[in-house]
Amino acid sequence: FLPRLYRGETAFHQMCVPTMFRPGISNVDRCFAIGKGIELSTLMDHHPATEDLKASRIGGLSFGLNIEAIAQHYGFKTSLMDFSRSKDVAMFFATCRHDPVTETYAPLNEGTAVLYTADLKRMIEHRKASAPFLPLGLEPLPRPEAQRALAVRLNTGENLNDMPWVAREVLE
C-alpha cells in the first residue's frame, strides 16, 4: 500500500470539481441527480448481490456499502471525485478520451493531460471529518475494484487544484 492516490484528467480544468458542482448544471438537474441516486439506492438495497455482501462477515466485520460511491463509477452526478490507488489506471484516464455515445475510450493523439497525485496522509489530516475519502473495493459491482478506486468528497466551492494535499503534473 502506497500513501499516494492518483487521478487522471485529459485536460487541465481551472475548476476541477465533482460532476455535481460543475458549471452549467442547473439546480433542477442537481435535484434530478439526487433523485436518481435515491432510486439507485433503493434498487441496490434489494439486489441479491448486495444482500449477500451485507450478510457476509470476515473476522466478525461486515461490509460497508456506499451507494453514492458506486453511482460515481457508473456516471451519476455526485459530490465525489474518483481517485485510484494505481498510477497506471490514472494514466489511462489522463491519456484516453471517453466517447459517451459508444461507451469506449480512445488514446489522445495530441494535447496535454493532467496527472494529480494526492498524499493520503496529508489528505486525511486536512480533511478530518469534514469530507472523508471512501475506500472502495469489495462491492457487489466490479468496476470500482477494477479501477482500484477511492472516492474523495469535495464540498460546494472546493476546487481540487486548491487542495494542499494534491500535486499535479501536466503531460504532453
PDB file of all heavy atoms in Angstrom, residues 2 4-5 8 12 14 23 29 54 69 74 78 84 86 95 97 104 122-123 127 129 143 171:
ATOM      1  N   LEU A   2       0.675   2.090  -0.992  1.00  0.00           N
ATOM      2  CA  LEU A   2       1.405   3.347  -1.055  1.00  0.00           C
ATOM      3  C   LEU A   2       0.520   4.465  -0.536  1.00  0.00           C
ATOM      4  O   LEU A   2      -0.685   4.463  -0.767  1.00  0.00           O
ATOM      5  CB  LEU A   2       1.813   3.662  -2.490  1.00  0.00           C
ATOM      6  CG  LEU A   2       2.837   2.723  -3.111  1.00  0.00           C
ATOM      7  CD1 LEU A   2       3.034   3.070  -4.571  1.00  0.00           C
ATOM      8  CD2 LEU A   2       4.141   2.802  -2.363  1.00  0.00           C
ATOM      9  N   ARG A   4      -0.131   7.156  -1.680  1.00  0.00           N
ATOM     10  CA  ARG A   4      -0.418   8.063  -2.784  1.00  0.00           C
ATOM     11  C   ARG A   4      -1.679   7.597  -3.508  1.00  0.00           C
ATOM     12  O   ARG A   4      -1.914   6.409  -3.665  1.00  0.00           O
ATOM     13  CB  ARG A   4       0.725   8.092  -3.803  1.00  0.00           C
ATOM     14  CG  ARG A   4       2.057   8.514  -3.238  1.00  0.00           C
ATOM     15  CD  ARG A   4       2.134  10.033  -3.069  1.00  0.00           C
ATOM     16  NE  ARG A   4       3.404  10.433  -2.539  1.00  0.00           N
ATOM     17  CZ  ARG A   4       3.657  10.684  -1.258  1.00  0.00           C
ATOM     18  NH1 ARG A   4       2.705  10.573  -0.368  1.00  0.00           N
ATOM     19  NH2 ARG A   4       4.840  11.052  -0.853  1.00  0.00           N
ATOM     20  N   LEU A   5      -2.458   8.570  -3.940  1.00  0.00           N
ATOM     21  CA  LEU A   5      -3.628   8.309  -4.768  1.00  0.00           C
ATOM     22  C   LEU A   5      -3.455   9.115  -6.042  1.00  0.00           C
ATOM     23  O   LEU A   5      -2.794  10.155  -6.038  1.00  0.00           O
ATOM     24  CB  LEU A   5      -4.912   8.747  -4.049  1.00  0.00           C
ATOM     25  CG  LEU A   5      -5.166   8.131  -2.694  1.00  0.00           C
ATOM     26  CD1 LEU A   5      -6.414   8.744  -2.069  1.00  0.00           C
ATOM     27  CD2 LEU A   5      -5.295   6.625  -2.808  1.00  0.00           C
ATOM     28  N   GLY A   8      -6.413  10.991 -13.132  1.00  0.00           N
ATOM     29  CA  GLY A   8      -6.021  11.451 -14.454  1.00  0.00           C
ATOM     30  C   GLY A   8      -7.127  12.254 -15.104  1.00  0.00           C
ATOM     31  O   GLY A   8      -8.301  11.906 -15.009  1.00  0.00           O
ATOM     32  N   PHE A  12      -6.451  20.184 -18.389  1.00  0.00           N
ATOM     33  CA  PHE A  12      -6.463  20.940 -17.143  1.00  0.00           C
ATOM     34  C   PHE A  12      -7.761  21.734 -17.064  1.00  0.00           C
ATOM     35  O   PHE A  12      -8.155  22.399 -18.024  1.00  0.00           O
ATOM     36  CB  PHE A  12      -5.268  21.891 -17.062  1.00  0.00           C
ATOM     37  CG  PHE A  12      -5.312  22.765 -15.840  1.00  0.00           C
ATOM     38  CD1 PHE A  12      -5.018  22.245 -14.588  1.00  0.00           C
ATOM     39  CD2 PHE A  12      -5.680  24.093 -15.938  1.00  0.00           C
ATOM     40  CE1 PHE A  12      -5.079  23.038 -13.454  1.00  0.00           C
ATOM     41  CE2 PHE A  12      -5.740  24.894 -14.808  1.00  0.00           C
ATOM     42  CZ  PHE A  12      -5.437  24.368 -13.571  1.00  0.00           C
ATOM     43  N   GLN A  14      -9.560  24.658 -14.821  1.00  0.00           N
ATOM     44  CA  GLN A  14      -9.329  25.674 -13.800  1.00  0.00           C
ATOM     45  C   GLN A  14     -10.132  25.350 -12.536  1.00  0.00           C
ATOM     46  O   GLN A  14      -9.642  25.496 -11.432  1.00  0.00           O
ATOM     47  CB  GLN A  14      -9.722  27.058 -14.339  1.00  0.00           C
ATOM     48  CG  GLN A  14      -9.170  28.209 -13.553  1.00  0.00           C
ATOM     49  CD  GLN A  14      -7.651  28.303 -13.613  1.00  0.00           C
ATOM     50  OE1 GLN A  14      -7.028  28.000 -14.623  1.00  0.00           O
ATOM     51  NE2 GLN A  14      -7.048  28.713 -12.512  1.00  0.00           N
ATOM     52  N   PRO A  23     -19.829  23.791 -13.672  1.00  0.00           N
ATOM     53  CA  PRO A  23     -20.587  24.890 -14.277  1.00  0.00           C
ATOM     54  C   PRO A  23     -21.589  24.368 -15.302  1.00  0.00           C
ATOM     55  O   PRO A  23     -21.355  23.368 -15.971  1.00  0.00           O
ATOM     56  CB  PRO A  23     -19.501  25.737 -14.964  1.00  0.00           C
ATOM     57  CG  PRO A  23     -18.225  25.352 -14.295  1.00  0.00           C
ATOM     58  CD  PRO A  23     -18.385  23.934 -13.852  1.00  0.00           C
ATOM     59  N   ASP A  29     -31.330  20.166 -12.433  1.00  0.00           N
ATOM     60  CA  ASP A  29     -30.530  18.994 -12.782  1.00  0.00           C
ATOM     61  C   ASP A  29     -29.870  18.387 -11.542  1.00  0.00           C
ATOM     62  O   ASP A  29     -29.749  17.164 -11.431  1.00  0.00           O
ATOM     63  CB  ASP A  29     -29.471  19.345 -13.819  1.00  0.00           C
ATOM     64  CG  ASP A  29     -30.070  19.598 -15.202  1.00  0.00           C
ATOM     65  OD1 ASP A  29     -31.212  19.142 -15.443  1.00  0.00           O
ATOM     66  OD2 ASP A  29     -29.409  20.263 -16.017  1.00  0.00           O
ATOM     67  N   LYS A  54     -23.908  -7.825   2.313  1.00  0.00           N
ATOM     68  CA  LYS A  54     -24.249  -7.320   3.648  1.00  0.00           C
ATOM     69  C   LYS A  54     -24.318  -8.433   4.682  1.00  0.00           C
ATOM     70  O   LYS A  54     -24.043  -8.208   5.855  1.00  0.00           O
ATOM     71  CB  LYS A  54     -25.575  -6.562   3.597  1.00  0.00           C
ATOM     72  CG  LYS A  54     -25.473  -5.210   2.922  1.00  0.00           C
ATOM     73  CD  LYS A  54     -26.824  -4.509   2.942  1.00  0.00           C
ATOM     74  CE  LYS A  54     -26.756  -3.123   2.352  1.00  0.00           C
ATOM     75  NZ  LYS A  54     -28.066  -2.466   2.379  1.00  0.00           N
ATOM     76  N   ALA A  69     -20.910   6.323  -3.830  1.00  0.00           N
ATOM     77  CA  ALA A  69     -19.602   5.966  -4.374  1.00  0.00           C
ATOM     78  C   ALA A  69     -19.742   5.009  -5.555  1.00  0.00           C
ATOM     79  O   ALA A  69     -19.031   5.128  -6.551  1.00  0.00           O
ATOM     80  CB  ALA A  69     -18.731   5.351  -3.286  1.00  0.00           C
ATOM     81  N   TYR A  74     -20.532   4.810 -12.183  1.00  0.00           N
ATOM     82  CA  TYR A  74     -21.431   4.466 -13.275  1.00  0.00           C
ATOM     83  C   TYR A  74     -22.074   5.709 -13.880  1.00  0.00           C
ATOM     84  O   TYR A  74     -23.146   5.643 -14.450  1.00  0.00           O
ATOM     85  CB  TYR A  74     -22.478   3.445 -12.798  1.00  0.00           C
ATOM     86  CG  TYR A  74     -21.822   2.102 -12.562  1.00  0.00           C
ATOM     87  CD1 TYR A  74     -21.315   1.777 -11.315  1.00  0.00           C
ATOM     88  CD2 TYR A  74     -21.649   1.211 -13.610  1.00  0.00           C
ATOM     89  CE1 TYR A  74     -20.666   0.568 -11.105  1.00  0.00           C
ATOM     90  CE2 TYR A  74     -20.999  -0.008 -13.405  1.00  0.00           C
ATOM     91  CZ  TYR A  74     -20.513  -0.314 -12.151  1.00  0.00           C
ATOM     92  OH  TYR A  74     -19.866  -1.508 -11.955  1.00  0.00           O
ATOM     93  N   THR A  78     -22.344  13.285  -8.778  1.00  0.00           N
ATOM     94  CA  THR A  78     -22.225  13.210  -7.323  1.00  0.00           C
ATOM     95  C   THR A  78     -21.272  14.295  -6.838  1.00  0.00           C
ATOM     96  O   THR A  78     -20.678  15.024  -7.644  1.00  0.00           O
ATOM     97  CB  THR A  78     -21.667  11.840  -6.867  1.00  0.00           C
ATOM     98  OG1 THR A  78     -20.281  11.760  -7.224  1.00  0.00           O
ATOM     99  CG2 THR A  78     -22.441  10.674  -7.470  1.00  0.00           C
ATOM    100  N   SER A  84      -7.474   6.766  -7.786  1.00  0.00           N
ATOM    101  CA  SER A  84      -7.095   5.371  -7.888  1.00  0.00           C
ATOM    102  C   SER A  84      -5.852   5.119  -7.061  1.00  0.00           C
ATOM    103  O   SER A  84      -4.997   6.001  -6.913  1.00  0.00           O
ATOM    104  CB  SER A  84      -6.820   4.998  -9.352  1.00  0.00           C
ATOM    105  OG  SER A  84      -6.384   3.653  -9.437  1.00  0.00           O
ATOM    106  N   SER A  86      -3.832   3.088  -8.193  1.00  0.00           N
ATOM    107  CA  SER A  86      -2.927   2.692  -9.267  1.00  0.00           C
ATOM    108  C   SER A  86      -2.594   3.884 -10.163  1.00  0.00           C
ATOM    109  O   SER A  86      -3.480   4.480 -10.767  1.00  0.00           O
ATOM    110  CB  SER A  86      -3.582   1.594 -10.106  1.00  0.00           C
ATOM    111  OG  SER A  86      -2.862   1.390 -11.293  1.00  0.00           O
ATOM    112  N   THR A  95      -4.861   9.876 -20.423  1.00  0.00           N
ATOM    113  CA  THR A  95      -4.401   9.834 -21.821  1.00  0.00           C
ATOM    114  C   THR A  95      -5.405   9.223 -22.793  1.00  0.00           C
ATOM    115  O   THR A  95      -5.097   9.076 -23.970  1.00  0.00           O
ATOM    116  CB  THR A  95      -3.072   9.058 -21.920  1.00  0.00           C
ATOM    117  OG1 THR A  95      -3.273   7.728 -21.439  1.00  0.00           O
ATOM    118  CG2 THR A  95      -1.974   9.750 -21.125  1.00  0.00           C
ATOM    119  N   ARG A  97      -9.519   9.505 -24.119  1.00  0.00           N
ATOM    120  CA  ARG A  97     -10.773  10.264 -24.101  1.00  0.00           C
ATOM    121  C   ARG A  97     -11.954   9.308 -24.174  1.00  0.00           C
ATOM    122  O   ARG A  97     -11.958   8.369 -24.947  1.00  0.00           O
ATOM    123  CB  ARG A  97     -10.815  11.254 -25.257  1.00  0.00           C
ATOM    124  CG  ARG A  97     -11.996  12.208 -25.176  1.00  0.00           C
ATOM    125  CD  ARG A  97     -11.922  13.338 -26.194  1.00  0.00           C
ATOM    126  NE  ARG A  97     -10.644  14.001 -26.325  1.00  0.00           N
ATOM    127  CZ  ARG A  97     -10.171  14.931 -25.488  1.00  0.00           C
ATOM    128  NH1 ARG A  97     -10.858  15.285 -24.439  1.00  0.00           N
ATOM    129  NH2 ARG A  97      -9.007  15.496 -25.725  1.00  0.00           N
ATOM    130  N   THR A 104     -16.800   3.960 -25.230  1.00  0.00           N
ATOM    131  CA  THR A 104     -15.448   3.442 -25.432  1.00  0.00           C
ATOM    132  C   THR A 104     -14.439   4.551 -25.130  1.00  0.00           C
ATOM    133  O   THR A 104     -14.779   5.727 -25.038  1.00  0.00           O
ATOM    134  CB  THR A 104     -15.246   2.964 -26.883  1.00  0.00           C
ATOM    135  OG1 THR A 104     -15.486   4.065 -27.768  1.00  0.00           O
ATOM    136  CG2 THR A 104     -16.187   1.819 -27.216  1.00  0.00           C
ATOM    137  N   ARG A 122      -1.522  13.485   4.157  1.00  0.00           N
ATOM    138  CA  ARG A 122      -1.864  14.913   4.219  1.00  0.00           C
ATOM    139  C   ARG A 122      -3.350  15.148   3.980  1.00  0.00           C
ATOM    140  O   ARG A 122      -3.956  16.023   4.582  1.00  0.00           O
ATOM    141  CB  ARG A 122      -1.031  15.710   3.206  1.00  0.00           C
ATOM    142  CG  ARG A 122       0.427  15.824   3.638  1.00  0.00           C
ATOM    143  CD  ARG A 122       1.225  16.688   2.690  1.00  0.00           C
ATOM    144  NE  ARG A 122       0.752  18.069   2.765  1.00  0.00           N
ATOM    145  CZ  ARG A 122       0.935  18.969   1.798  1.00  0.00           C
ATOM    146  NH1 ARG A 122       1.583  18.627   0.689  1.00  0.00           N
ATOM    147  NH2 ARG A 122       0.486  20.187   1.925  1.00  0.00           N
ATOM    148  N   MET A 123      -3.952  14.349   3.080  1.00  0.00           N
ATOM    149  CA  MET A 123      -5.378  14.493   2.822  1.00  0.00           C
ATOM    150  C   MET A 123      -6.183  14.166   4.074  1.00  0.00           C
ATOM    151  O   MET A 123      -7.092  14.916   4.447  1.00  0.00           O
ATOM    152  CB  MET A 123      -5.828  13.580   1.688  1.00  0.00           C
ATOM    153  CG  MET A 123      -7.316  13.700   1.420  1.00  0.00           C
ATOM    154  SD  MET A 123      -7.900  12.680   0.062  1.00  0.00           S
ATOM    155  CE  MET A 123      -7.648  11.057   0.701  1.00  0.00           C
ATOM    156  N   ARG A 127      -8.522  16.930   5.671  1.00  0.00           N
ATOM    157  CA  ARG A 127      -9.969  16.751   5.539  1.00  0.00           C
ATOM    158  C   ARG A 127     -10.645  16.463   6.877  1.00  0.00           C
ATOM    159  O   ARG A 127     -11.803  16.827   7.057  1.00  0.00           O
ATOM    160  CB  ARG A 127     -10.297  15.611   4.564  1.00  0.00           C
ATOM    161  CG  ARG A 127      -9.689  15.758   3.185  1.00  0.00           C
ATOM    162  CD  ARG A 127     -10.080  16.985   2.459  1.00  0.00           C
ATOM    163  NE  ARG A 127     -11.432  16.863   1.938  1.00  0.00           N
ATOM    164  CZ  ARG A 127     -12.086  17.858   1.387  1.00  0.00           C
ATOM    165  NH1 ARG A 127     -11.542  19.044   1.301  1.00  0.00           N
ATOM    166  NH2 ARG A 127     -13.298  17.703   0.944  1.00  0.00           N
ATOM    167  N   ALA A 129     -12.901  15.182   9.552  1.00  0.00           N
ATOM    168  CA  ALA A 129     -14.249  14.631   9.406  1.00  0.00           C
ATOM    169  C   ALA A 129     -15.107  15.450   8.448  1.00  0.00           C
ATOM    170  O   ALA A 129     -16.247  15.102   8.189  1.00  0.00           O
ATOM    171  CB  ALA A 129     -14.912  14.549  10.767  1.00  0.00           C
ATOM    172  N   ARG A 143     -16.729  -2.708 -11.168  1.00  0.00           N
ATOM    173  CA  ARG A 143     -15.969  -1.596 -11.721  1.00  0.00           C
ATOM    174  C   ARG A 143     -15.070  -0.870 -10.704  1.00  0.00           C
ATOM    175  O   ARG A 143     -13.909  -0.591 -11.011  1.00  0.00           O
ATOM    176  CB  ARG A 143     -16.929  -0.616 -12.396  1.00  0.00           C
ATOM    177  CG  ARG A 143     -16.218   0.432 -13.204  1.00  0.00           C
ATOM    178  CD  ARG A 143     -17.205   1.199 -14.046  1.00  0.00           C
ATOM    179  NE  ARG A 143     -16.541   2.266 -14.747  1.00  0.00           N
ATOM    180  CZ  ARG A 143     -17.155   3.107 -15.524  1.00  0.00           C
ATOM    181  NH1 ARG A 143     -18.449   3.015 -15.722  1.00  0.00           N
ATOM    182  NH2 ARG A 143     -16.492   4.051 -16.133  1.00  0.00           N
ATOM    183  N   LEU A 171       1.135  16.663 -18.638  1.00  0.00           N
ATOM    184  CA  LEU A 171       1.806  15.715 -19.541  1.00  0.00           C
ATOM    185  C   LEU A 171       1.504  16.108 -20.984  1.00  0.00           C
ATOM    186  O   LEU A 171       0.379  16.409 -21.330  1.00  0.00           O
ATOM    187  CB  LEU A 171       1.290  14.304 -19.292  1.00  0.00           C
ATOM    188  CG  LEU A 171       1.276  13.825 -17.845  1.00  0.00           C
ATOM    189  CD1 LEU A 171       0.462  12.573 -17.694  1.00  0.00           C
ATOM    190  CD2 LEU A 171       2.705  13.608 -17.365  1.00  0.00           C
TER     191      LEU A 171
END
